[in-house]
Amino acid sequence: MSVLAIRQVTRTFGGLTALDGVSFDVHEGEIFSVIGPNGAGKSTLFNIVSGFDRPTGGSVAYQGRDITGVRPHALVRAGIARTFQNTQLFEELTVLDNVLVGMFPVTRAGMVSAALRLPHALREQRLATEEAQRLLRMVGLEEFASTPAADLPHGLRRLLEIARALATRPRVMLLDEPAAGLDSAETRELASLLYRVRDSGATIVVVEHDMGLVMEVSDSIVVLDRGRKIAEGPPMLIQKDPAVIEAYLGEEASDDD
Ligand SMILES: Nc1ncnc2c1ncn2[C@@H]1O[C@H](COP(=O)(O)OP(=O)(O)OP(=O)(O)O)[C@@H](O)[C@H]1O
Ligand SMILES: [Mg+2]
């Protein structure tokens, strides 16, 4: 079944067309990658699917329901979680508290009953803490539970963002460049984490520049170039696709570094 149906999504910023009539489907339980050179429109697409931005044209459906323009918090409740290309953590809060913050949309005890320390609120808080610790174990951060997020080693910050996204119990996880800044051992760990998240029942959509990782973990790939979809298919076909090779060679040729 199609979990996400992207239909003719277009986004212009003034005279610039960041996305140009992009359509594709993400199916339940797959690891799906969106790749393409810098500026191709990948993050713009994520912003639209997660409600942080609205398309100029086209639509996004989630589990058969039109969600175009629905606000991020409502989408989180509906089961769509994301991480950001530039990690967005609560720097002064501990690692554990960063995960607990992610749980707020799903814990019933509101701020008031928590403040009054009502029994059901205390029980819910204890369960939430246990769940947050479980998620930290899942991403391998349990030993950092009481460390302020600001003091986490760089490569581990993305793992914390993933744990916080998992805390919302997503059906769909959108990960924007989860391997950026990771060394090869950390990237191996990330791959196994992606499989565990997928096996726990979530669908994963990844934007990623690490082609080794993409080709290994993806069931299906969409390639964007300058806002347009230029290819779609399984890793084996994408690797050989002349239009894809051309797009990446063009990028290398124009790279200054
Ligand atoms: N808010 C904005 N206002 C104006 N232009 C924008 C805005 N957001 C994105 N763009 C432009 O849209 C294009 C696509 O940007 P986007 O961030 O989606 O690319 P990307 O594929 O994620 O690139 P990268 O791999 O470098 O992260 C770029 O030309 C970018 O400068
Ligand atoms: Mg981006």
Side-chain angles (χ1 to χ4, degrees):
M1 187 189 129
S2 162
V3 176
L4 288 176
I6 316 289
R7 290 292 174 273
Q8 292 297 322
V9 166
T10 293
R11 177 63 163 115
T12 56
F13 296 105
L16 180 111
T17 304
L19 289 171
D20 190 358
V22 172
S23 301
F24 61 88
D25 286 281
V26 178
H27 295 100
E28 177 103 50
E30 68 180 349
I31 299 180
F32 188 99
S33 292
V34 179
I35 66 171
N38 292 117
K42 307 178 297 292
S43 294
T44 300
L45 180 69
F46 265 25
N47 289 341
I48 287 169
V49 174
S50 58
F52 285 82
D53 189 18
R54 284 166 185 265
T56 328
S59 66
V60 180
Y62 166 60
Q63 294 180 328
R65 188 166 66 93
D66 188 350
I67 57 158
T68 320
V70 174
R71 306 298 301 151
H73 60 90
L75 292 178
V76 168
R77 277 175 210 272
I80 300 179
R82 73 169 295 180
T83 64
F84 292 86
Q85 188 166 348
N86 303 310
T87 45
Q88 304 202 348
L89 300 171
F90 297 98
E91 301 294 342
E92 323 77 56
L93 295 186
T94 65
V95 164
L96 183 73
D97 283 342
N98 265 274
V99 180
L100 281 168
V101 167
M103 256 168 220
F104 254 93
V106 293
T107 53
R108 277 179 299 110
M111 301 288 269
V112 175
S113 52
L116 294 174
R117 304 182 72 76
L118 298 178
H120 76 272
L122 287 178
R123 191 176 66 243
E124 196 149 80
Q125 212 153 41
R126 182 171 52 76
L127 291 176
T129 303
E130 282 170 15
E131 174 66 2
Q133 284 163 337
R134 186 185 73 81
L135 292 171
L136 287 181
R137 275 197 300 281
M138 185 170 177
V139 303
L141 289 182
E142 65 271 39
E143 66 188 281
F144 295 98
S146 52
T147 305
D151 297 341
L152 258 191
H154 184 74
L156 303 181
R157 294 171 60 82
R158 288 177 187 279
L159 296 176
L160 176 53
E161 231 195 357
I162 292 174
R164 193 178 56 191
L166 285 170
T168 66
R169 298 183 195 164
R171 303 292 309 155
V172 176
M173 286 268 278
L174 307 170
L175 306 177
D176 198 347
E177 301 200 19
L182 301 193
D183 65 28
S184 61
E186 289 164 342
T187 304
R188 306 289 332 136
E189 279 299 311
L190 175 67
S192 98
L193 174 60
L194 295 183
Y195 291 131
R196 274 177 281 145
V197 171
R198 192 265 316 272
D199 293 345
S200 76
T203 303
I204 302 176
V205 188
V206 200
V207 162
E208 189 45 65
H209 283 289
D210 181 330
M211 285 307 131
L213 179 67
V214 166
M215 295 304 163
E216 179 193 337
V217 303
S218 306
D219 296 300
S220 194
I221 300 173
V222 147
V223 188
L224 300 180
D225 184 28
R226 285 168 283 177
R228 290 174 187 237
K229 182 175 88 174
I230 59 165
E232 178 173 20
M236 290 259 286
L237 293 181
I238 293 297
Q239 272 169 317
K240 296 190 289 203
D241 190 302
V244 176
I245 294 166
E246 174 78 27
Y248 277 98
L249 287 179
E251 183 187 43
E252 264 167 36
S254 65
D255 259 1
D256 294 330
D257 46 8

